[in-house]
Amino acid sequence: NGDFRGQDAVLAVGSNDITFDLYSKNRGQGDLLASISQSFTVVDDITGTIGLSVGLYDADTDVLITPLSDGDTVLASDIADRNVTIAAFLPNDDLASGLVESMVLNLNQGQVVKTENIEPYALFGDSNGDFRGSGAGLLSLGANSIGFDLYSENRGQGDLLQSETLTFTVV
């Protein structure tokens, strides 16, 4: 009646395969109509496997100025006189896309800290994808860092799923 039955420890950590054989009659009788196989992996810890997509955005136009990766350099002229923000996204096919419920963003060890419960996870928040920002002066010439703490519950609660820090330089 739609109430699934299960068994403990059936799926092993690592690679697994399952095959579904579809028959024309009950109990595997009749003609074999199709055989569908699927491979999948079971992991016991997703820490370090979450792939964030991070970018520096113009908050007035919501346009990406540049993607950000660890060690990148940003030209001060690209952000001068602009209202900017930093936003992070989880790819839909990421292992953690259904597990992350909130993210804490931390610019330059506490200069700006923002907890976001809904994607896009933006340093100054957003209203239905319309970014809010701060003047470009927020990012100082030289080294800057942005930390991302991903949690299993809203408001930065629950399990810490991953913590990542990107450093970038404004020149």
Side-chain angles (χ1 to χ4, degrees), residues 27-71:
R27 294 184 170 87
Q29 301 298 310
D31 296 329
L32 176 63
L33 302 174
S35 185
I36 302 167
S37 295
Q38 182 70 45
S39 296
F40 59 96
T41 302
V42 175
V43 297
D44 60 358
D45 184 6
I46 62 168
T47 303
T49 64
I50 301 171
L52 289 179
S53 176
V54 179
L56 180 63
Y57 288 83
D58 182 314
D60 293 331
T61 62
D62 299 325
V63 171
L64 177 67
I65 297 169
T66 186
L68 281 180
S69 295
D70 194 40

Side-chain angles (χ1 to χ4, degrees), residues 43-133:
V43 297
D44 60 358
D45 184 6
I46 62 168
T47 303
T49 64
I50 301 171
L52 289 179
S53 176
V54 179
L56 180 63
Y57 288 83
D58 182 314
D60 293 331
T61 62
D62 299 325
V63 171
L64 177 67
I65 297 169
T66 186
L68 281 180
S69 295
D70 194 40
D72 279 355
T73 298
V74 175
L75 295 175
S77 60
D78 287 345
I79 58 175
D81 301 320
R82 290 174 106 169
N83 194 23
V84 298
T85 192
I86 296 173
F89 299 85
L90 288 168
N92 289 336
D93 62 349
D94 195 280
L95 286 173
S97 65
L99 301 176
V100 175
E101 290 294 323
S102 65
M103 186 181 297
V104 177
L105 295 89
N106 184 341
L107 179 68
N108 294 327
Q109 292 89 31
Q111 181 180 354
V112 176
V113 177
K114 174 74 172 168
T115 301
E116 286 276 79
N117 296 318
I118 299 171
E119 197 171 52
Y121 304 104
L123 183 60
F124 297 103
D126 69 285
S127 178
N128 295 320
D130 182 15
F131 292 125
R132 296 183 187 115

